[in-house]
Amino acid sequence: MNTNQPHTLPAGYFDDVYRANEDPWHFETSPYEREKYATSLAALPRPHYARAFEVGCSLGVLTEQLAVRCAHLLAIDVAAAPLKKARMRCAYLPQVEFQQMSLPEEFPTTAFDLIVLSEVGYYWSGPDLARTAERLLQSLVPGGQLLLVHWTPPVHDYPLTGDEVHDYFLREAGPLASMRQLHGFRHETYRLDVLEKN
């Protein structure tokens, strides 16, 4: 991974994106997103998780579907506007907690048996991805699982590609946290991996 990449995209970048369009990536309406969410949930090996953590929940579309398999789900996003809609969407789900948080500067103190990092990792610079990955892997309990899902074509203003994110985790997860890969899948435009902490 090239450490001379651009800086992590700031919170203001996402504020501007959501100011221009309430659903900029068509999470609520896209058949592609529906299929990707279904594939993501189907890839999870367990029917139920005690404590889950979703990084970059946006409008809460995946959050709502994931919540039915979680006793408690902490969902975070760096931007306030999508969190407001996510809270409304999931208001009937008492097991879901939303927080506005920016990784790696902020980080929850809870331990988790599932972490979902979907369409977020390529927004970090190489060094910030490394810092975040270390903290994510440390926060997994033994036997805990990490679901990675990312768009793979390059995007000109993203510091990393989806492949760089996944390759980093697959390369470093063993030494950092004794992780093993349970599942790997490559779609035409996205990549999915499930790792488990030994």
Side-chain angles (χ1 to χ4, degrees), residues 9 42 50 58 105 120 129 133 145 149 157 161 169 171 186:
L9 295 182
S58 185
E105 294 80 14
V120 176
L129 175 67
Q145 295 166 354
V149 187
D157 53 351
T161 66
F169 273 96
R171 184 176 66 249
R186 182 177 285 277

Side-chain angles (χ1 to χ4, degrees), residues 130-182:
R131 289 171 58 204
T132 303
E134 183 173 10
R135 298 198 70 176
L136 289 174
L137 298 176
Q138 287 174 348
S139 70
L140 277 174
V141 299
Q145 295 166 354
L146 171 67
L147 171 65
L148 300 167
V149 187
H150 288 87
W151 173 264
T152 49
V155 179
H156 71 91
D157 53 351
Y158 294 0
L160 299 172
T161 66
D163 278 321
E164 287 175 316
V165 172
H166 285 236
D167 289 344
Y168 180 82
F169 273 96
L170 290 171
R171 184 176 66 249
E172 299 297 331
L176 282 174
S178 187
M179 303 283 288
R180 64 190 180 102
Q181 185 180 21
L182 297 182

Side-chain angles (χ1 to χ4, degrees), residues 36-80:
K36 187 180 66 177
Y37 293 152
T39 302
S40 299
L41 294 168
L44 293 175
R46 298 181 200 155
H48 191 263
Y49 294 87
R51 298 193 67 85
F53 180 32
E54 182 190 5
V55 182
C57 65
S58 185
L59 304 172
V61 180
L62 178 59
T63 313
E64 183 180 27
Q65 298 173 51
L66 181 62
V68 299
R69 295 174 62 174
C70 303
H72 182 266
L73 172 58
L74 171 61
I76 69 164
D77 203 275
V78 71

Side-chain angles (χ1 to χ4, degrees), residues 107-129:
F107 207 87
T109 56
T110 313
F112 303 98
D113 59 349
L114 173 66
I115 294 175
V116 176
L117 186 68
S118 179
E119 308 294 6
V120 176
Y122 40 57
Y123 298 134
W124 288 308
S125 66
D128 279 346
L129 175 67

